[in-house]
């Protein structure tokens, strides 16, 4: 298992370089112009100068290698300096955003907490709701609980978050006035009152995303439980005189969780990128919103870096899912 | 003196397509240390009968009712779930047909063997593990203590069935129910398992119910045989008596399907023509009559009851093979 993990990690390196190249080429192909959003009064020569100053005059392979150097060498060095207080001499060029002229990594560091709080929390809540619902729905298949669960998850599944999000704003903010419709990122938690305020502003975005996540995962959990409930080993467990709790929550659940855990692990990268729409609806200035703004502004370094980080997380969590599979299922042996 | 006494057991499956009467008024008993063989075609209700005894049929859709199942001074059909669980795996052990799927793939053999011991005998982890190793040793698995931490996929089919047997015997049951335990195994392994069970019976002295398709196996190990058809017991006799003097046309047909190695080879393999019935209602006539070569008018209007011929031999049929005519009541 250990060797397998190490080997997979090494294999990931060329994969990631390849992915970064593809992203770079695709973005270069895209007809976007970083000066398009500037006022129309700026004359074309000046625009051209701006483009040159952003490095767009260089040939594509130079620009790619430059990004690689900045991202893979300069940025990690910079982080190490900050963490360990080192001072490695030299003024290194960092990946700079074209729109804000500040380092992209700093932007990401600024925005990650909001995303983790709202989207990450919704994923955790979604999973915590989905697992028991899936288990009970399967154990009591076709009961009213199962029917209601099926109906709700079908809604969560098929109604897009920009609809449920707006619907919740209309109902709970406009009509009832229970929750704020906008997520205030500058809000600081200092005491119980401000903590309560933080909870209130998180409720709606978390609820919208959690419904969406829970819908998928609970269906998956239910299907996996149903697969296992009819297996022969369940009858054996009952024939041994074990209680229903042990039969279902030890024997069946342990088997059913194997594919579900994999799916949950594979879904984690989406936490970082997938909530773009919900972040827009509730004005959460997280990573998803950063990506949207950068795309609209033709801010290629930011888009490139963000997309690459998503790709990195996907590769990483694929590996984690595979390793978890091997840990949970004794029949799987990696060597 | 009996360990298990079953009277008028009935099991009905309420499905979307309607009711299926899988077990119809089955009665039998089991004496201490006896080996009762149960034979019958696929779908004749052998498994459902045995699983109904200890509440192992899925309910819903199944409804089990009937007279009583007398075991160890209590009626298993009318005890609560907790007491029934105390019987399952402790006083009545069960072995299933397919050893490849009957063990949980993600738990170690040691864990699965320890479960009934910890559950019923209140052993702690260490004691249960020690006993589990003894049990594995008892069923002839070499290097037992070390293999406890292995998982089912690391065992062969025959060894897994040995593990199942060890598990069923863990708490020293009075009755062992073996539902076609050798059907999924190849012939040499089958013989080994049979030998093992015979040996264990002599050593431990429990009564055994052995379900099988294979009359050859029955001849080798059973004391008494019960033939089932259409969810009913159609004939019951001591094993020699049944082979020498079969009464029911179905039993006779079954015996003729055994290919003989010594006999003449001119015959094709014999089969019983037709399909076993699916019982959408409680039988009001003999359920074998459509396939029976001796059926007459009465067989279509009345369901024959079991009738004792000699001590220990009874049959549910209106036709008498001795005379070739209807039996006199
Ligand atoms: N869960 C169920 N739902 C509906 N009908 C069932 C169910 N389980 C069994 N039956 C029916 O009960 C009848 C008896 O089945 P059973 O499994 O007892 O046969 P069997 O004699 O053990 O056959 P085999 O030799 O193939 O194991 C069959 O007709 C079957 O269709
Ligand atoms: Mg069966």
């Amino acid at each position: 298992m250990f060797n397998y993990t190490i080997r997979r990690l090494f294999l990931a390196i060329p994969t990631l370089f390849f992915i970064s190249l593809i992203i770079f080429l695709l973005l270069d192909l895209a007809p976007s112009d970083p000066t398009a959003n500037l006022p129309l009064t700026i004359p074309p020569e000046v625009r051209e100068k701006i483009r040159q100053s952003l490095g767009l005059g260089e040939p594509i392979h130079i620009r790619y290698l430059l990004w690689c150097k900045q991202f893979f060498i300069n940025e990690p060095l910079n982080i190490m300096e900050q963490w360990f207080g080192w001072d490695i001499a030299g003024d290194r060029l960092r990946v700079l955003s074209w729109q804000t002229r500040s380092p992209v990594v700093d932007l990401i560091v600024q925005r990650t907490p909001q995303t983790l709080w709202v989207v990450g929390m919704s994923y955790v809540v979604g999973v915590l709701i989905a697992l028991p619902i899936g288990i009970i729905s399967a154990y009591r298949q076709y009961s009213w609980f199962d029917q209601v669960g099926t109906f709700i998850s079908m809604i969560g599944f098929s109604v897009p978050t920009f609809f449920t999000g707006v619907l919740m704003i209309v109902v709970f903010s406009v009509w009832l006035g229970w929750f704020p419709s906008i997520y205030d990122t500058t809000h600081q938690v200092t005491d119980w009152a401000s903590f309560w305020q933080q909870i209130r502003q998180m409720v709606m975005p978390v609820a919208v995303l959690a419904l969406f996540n829970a819908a998928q995962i609970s269906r998956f959990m239910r299907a996996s439980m149903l697969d296992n409930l009819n297996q022969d080993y369940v009858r054996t467990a009952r024939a041994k005189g074990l209680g229903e709790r042990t039969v279902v929550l030890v024997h069946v659940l342990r088997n059913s969780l194997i594919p579900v855990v994999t799916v949950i692990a594979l879904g984690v990268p989406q936490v970082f990128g997938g909530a773009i729409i919900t972040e827009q609806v509730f004005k959460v200035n997280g990573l998803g919103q950063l990506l949207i703004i950068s795309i609209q502004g033709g801010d290629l370094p930011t888009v490139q870096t963000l997309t690459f980080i998503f790709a990195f997380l996907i590769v990483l969590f694929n590996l984690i899912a595979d390793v978890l599979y091997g840990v949970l299922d004794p029949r799987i042996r990696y060597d | 003196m009996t360990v298990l006494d079953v009277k008028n057991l009935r099991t009905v499956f309420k499905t979307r397509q309607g009711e299926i009467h899988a077990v119809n008024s089955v009665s039998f008993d089991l004496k201490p240390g006896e080996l009762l063989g149960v034979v019958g075609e696929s779908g004749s209700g052998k498994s459902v009968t045995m699983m109904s005894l200890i509440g192992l049929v899925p309910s819903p859709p199944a409804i089990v009712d009937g007279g009583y199942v007398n075991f160890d001074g209590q009626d298993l059909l009318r005890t609560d779930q907790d007491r029934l669980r105390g019987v399952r795996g402790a006083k009545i052990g069960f072995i299933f047909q397919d050893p490849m799927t009957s063990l949980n793939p993600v738990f170690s053999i040691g864990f699965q063997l320890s479960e009934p011991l910890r559950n019923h005998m209140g052993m702690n982890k260490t004691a249960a593990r020690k006993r589990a190793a003894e049990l594995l040793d008892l069923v002839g698995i070499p290097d037992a203590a070390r293999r406890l931490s292995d998982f089912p996929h690391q065992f062969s089919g025959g060894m897994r069935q040995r593990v199942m047997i060890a598990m069923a015997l863990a708490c020293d049951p009075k009755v062992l129910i073996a539902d076609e335990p050798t059907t999924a195994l190849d012939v040499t392994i089958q013989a080994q398992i049979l030998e093992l069970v015979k040996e264990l019976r002599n050593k431990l002295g429990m009564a055994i119910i052995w379900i099988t398709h294979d009359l050859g196996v029955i001849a080798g190990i059973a004391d008494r045989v019960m033939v089932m058809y259409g969810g009913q017991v159609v004939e019951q006799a001591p094993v020699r008596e049944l082979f020498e003097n079969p009464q029911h046309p179905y039993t006779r047909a079954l015996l003729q399907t055994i290919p003989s190695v010594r006999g003449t080879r001119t015959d094709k393999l014999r089969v019983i023509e037709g399909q076993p019935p699916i019982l959408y209602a409680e039988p009001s006539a003999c359920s074998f009559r459509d396939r029976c070569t001796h059926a007459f008018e009465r067989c279509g209007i009345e369901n024959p009851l079991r009738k004792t011929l000699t001590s220990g031999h009874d049959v549910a049929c209106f036709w008498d093979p001795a005379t070739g005519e209807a039996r006199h009541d």
Side-chain angles (χ1 to χ4, degrees):
Chain A
M1 184 72 90
F2 182 72
N3 286 341
Y4 171 81
T5 314
I6 296 293
R7 208 170 58 227
R8 280 284 301 268
L9 279 174
F10 272 107
L11 266 175
I13 292 172
T15 314
L16 285 170
F17 268 105
F18 186 68
I19 292 174
S20 74
L21 177 63
I22 298 284
I23 297 172
F24 201 87
L25 294 177
L26 278 176
L27 288 179
D28 194 62
L29 276 178
S32 89
D33 179 0
T35 65
N37 279 353
L38 297 176
L40 285 171
T41 47
I42 296 178
E45 317 88 68
V46 180
R47 279 174 196 272
E48 188 50 36
K49 274 219 178 98
I50 293 175
R51 275 194 213 106
Q52 296 296 335
S53 75
L54 292 175
L56 277 170
E58 306 286 341
I60 182 162
H61 62 274
I62 299 288
R63 280 187 281 133
Y64 175 64
L65 289 177
L66 207 59
W67 178 84
C68 282
K69 175 165 182 281
Q70 289 169 351
F71 185 79
F72 291 115
I73 299 174
N74 292 0
E75 290 294 350
L77 278 178
N78 203 53
I79 289 173
M80 279 196 256
E81 267 185 10
Q82 280 181 2
W83 280 4
F84 304 116
W86 295 346
D87 192 12
I88 307 169
D91 201 15
R92 287 179 306 273
L93 210 52
R94 303 182 61 186
V95 186
L96 293 184
S97 155
W98 286 350
Q99 274 182 315
T100 64
R101 307 302 294 159
S102 67
V104 173
V105 172
D106 291 356
L107 288 179
I108 294 175
V109 169
Q110 277 169 18
R111 302 231 176 182
T112 308
Q114 288 86 283
T115 295
L116 278 187
W117 264 110
V118 176
V119 190
M121 180 68 81
S122 73
Y123 199 62
V124 172
V125 170
V127 169
L128 289 182
I129 296 176
L131 297 187
I133 289 184
I135 294 168
I136 299 172
S137 296
Y139 188 65
R140 302 228 173 278
Q141 197 187 5
Y142 305 131
S143 65
W144 66 265
F145 183 94
D146 184 28
Q147 314 269 9
V148 171
T150 306
F151 182 71
I152 292 179
S153 46
M154 213 157 66
I155 292 177
F157 223 52
S158 47
V159 181
T161 49
F162 59 78
F163 184 82
T164 39
V166 172
L167 187 72
M168 285 190 90
I169 289 179
V170 169
V171 174
F172 294 107
S173 297
V174 180
W175 292 354
L176 297 171
W178 288 357
F179 305 116
S181 72
I182 291 178
Y183 186 91
D184 177 8
T185 328
T186 59
H187 181 74
Q188 296 277 336
V189 177
T190 50
D191 51 12
W192 283 110
S194 58
F195 177 72
W196 179 236
Q197 175 63 19
Q198 171 69 12
I199 298 280
R200 277 186 45 200
Q201 66 174 355
M202 277 174 63
V203 166
M204 285 204 298
V206 168
V208 166
L209 278 173
L211 174 70
F212 187 71
N213 292 326
Q216 299 193 351
I217 296 170
S218 69
R219 290 283 92 185
F220 212 81
M221 186 74 231
R222 178 180 181 270
S224 183
M225 285 289 288
L226 283 178
D227 266 358
N228 280 287
L229 274 169
N230 292 324
Q231 298 285 323
D232 287 349
Y233 70 77
V234 181
R235 194 178 49 187
T236 309
R238 291 208 172 100
K240 277 194 260 187
L242 303 178
E244 273 308 283
R245 269 184 104 79
T246 317
V247 171
V248 176
L249 295 182
V250 176
H251 282 260
V252 181
L253 185 61
R254 180 65 173 66
N255 278 276
S256 312
L257 272 181
I258 295 171
V260 176
V261 164
T262 311
V263 165
I264 291 174
L266 288 177
V268 172
Q270 289 171 12
V271 168
F272 292 88
I276 297 168
I277 292 167
T278 316
E279 286 191 354
Q280 286 290 93
V281 170
F282 292 98
K283 306 285 182 293
V284 182
N285 60 346
L287 292 173
Q289 206 207 25
L290 178 64
L291 183 63
I292 288 285
I293 295 173
S294 312
I295 292 173
Q296 284 165 350
D299 185 355
L300 294 193
T302 311
V303 179
Q304 163 82 17
T305 306
L306 269 178
T307 320
F308 178 74
I309 289 177
F310 294 154
F312 170 76
L313 289 172
I314 290 172
V315 170
L316 177 70
F317 277 92
N318 259 294
L319 174 62
I320 291 178
D322 279 354
V323 170
L324 275 179
Y325 210 106
V327 171
L328 290 177
D329 191 338
R331 284 163 297 183
I332 308 283
R333 278 283 157 263
Y334 300 122
D335 35 36
Chain B
M1 190 24 205
T2 58
V3 271
L4 183 68
D5 186 11
V6 180
K7 192 92 192 155
N8 293 331
L9 183 74
R10 243 173 242 285
T11 303
V12 182
F13 289 97
K14 298 236 192 264
T15 67
R16 282 159 196 239
Q17 290 81 25
E19 295 186 347
I20 294 178
H21 293 249
V23 178
N24 296 297
S25 222
V26 164
S27 308
F28 65 93
D29 59 13
L30 190 66
K31 294 173 187 56
E34 182 184 38
L35 201 154
L36 173 69
V38 180
V39 284
E41 264 169 309
S42 199
S44 55
K46 307 182 294 291
S47 303
V48 175
T49 303
M50 297 312 158
M51 294 201 291
S52 300
L53 300 182
I54 51 172
L56 272 185
V57 276
S59 168
I63 296 174
V64 181
D65 58 15
Y68 56 79
V69 174
N70 217 330
F71 173 78
D72 206 21
Q74 54 188 337
D75 181 355
L76 295 186
L77 296 185
R78 286 172 193 81
T79 46
D80 55 88
Q81 279 299 318
D82 278 344
R83 305 231 343 236
L84 201 54
R85 268 198 287 276
V87 172
R88 288 208 290 258
K91 294 172 181 164
I92 299 183
F94 225 109
I95 312 172
F96 298 101
Q97 176 168 349
D98 192 350
M100 305 312 270
T101 56
S102 292
L103 289 165
N104 193 327
V106 303
F107 291 113
S108 71
I109 295 295
F111 175 84
Q112 298 189 54
L113 260 175
S114 300
E115 269 182 327
L117 296 166
R118 297 172 68 178
N119 202 34
H120 297 296
M121 324 259 280
M123 288 189 188
N124 65 22
K125 215 167 167 172
T126 340
R129 238 183 135 70
K130 191 157 161 285
R131 175 88 180 115
E134 287 168 17
L135 284 165
L136 275 195
D137 197 49
L138 180 74
V139 296
I141 287 183
D143 208 1
R146 205 183 48 76
R147 300 224 62 173
L148 283 181
S149 45
D150 282 355
F151 289 90
H153 70 274
Q154 290 161 303
F155 287 72
S156 70
M159 281 163 91
R160 284 189 219 186
Q161 199 58 294
R162 285 170 191 262
V163 172
M164 285 296 293
I165 294 173
M167 215 148 76
L169 297 181
C171 303
D172 241 331
K174 289 187 175 165
V175 176
L176 175 71
I177 301 176
D179 188 352
E180 305 188 36
T182 58
T183 309
L185 304 173
D186 71 53
V187 184
T188 45
I189 309 291
Q190 231 179 58
Q192 288 173 13
I193 297 284
L194 279 175
E195 277 311 309
L196 173 69
V197 171
K198 269 202 244 180
E199 186 193 314
L200 288 175
R201 178 168 72 126
N202 292 339
K203 214 186 267 180
L204 309 174
M206 69 270 178
I208 300 179
I209 298 177
W210 189 282
I211 302 177
T212 179
H213 285 138
D214 191 341
L215 280 167
V217 170
I218 290 286
I221 61 167
D223 301 318
R224 195 151 55 92
V225 190
M226 185 164 101
V227 182
M228 289 192 68
Y229 187 85
Q232 285 172 292
V233 178
V234 293
E235 184 162 7
Q236 189 203 194
V239 66
R240 283 192 69 118
E241 166 80 5
L242 188 97
F243 277 85
E244 281 164 11
N245 185 21
Q247 293 289 312
H248 198 283
Y250 178 63
T251 314
R252 299 166 72 89
L254 268 185
L255 287 172
Q256 279 171 4
T257 59
I258 306 178
S260 158
V261 180
R262 266 167 282 142
T264 48
R265 295 280 196 101
T266 50
D267 277 356
K268 293 184 295 190
L269 268 185
R270 287 189 184 240
V271 291
I272 306 175
E273 298 291 336
Q275 292 294 320
I278 298 175
L279 301 152
Y280 292 111
E282 212 172 322
S284 57
C286 174
S287 41
F288 188 60
R289 68 178 188 285
D290 293 336
R291 301 167 73 186
C292 183
T293 45
H294 307 289
F296 54 97
E297 198 184 338
R298 191 177 172 196
C299 306
I301 49 178
E302 196 182 333
N303 192 17
L305 295 176
R306 277 163 74 180
K307 189 170 170 347
T308 306
L309 304 176
T310 57
S311 125
H313 191 172
D314 61 58
V315 64
C317 184
F318 296 128
W319 178 75
D320 186 354
T323 60
E325 284 168 21
R327 203 183 286 281
H328 298 291
D329 284 318

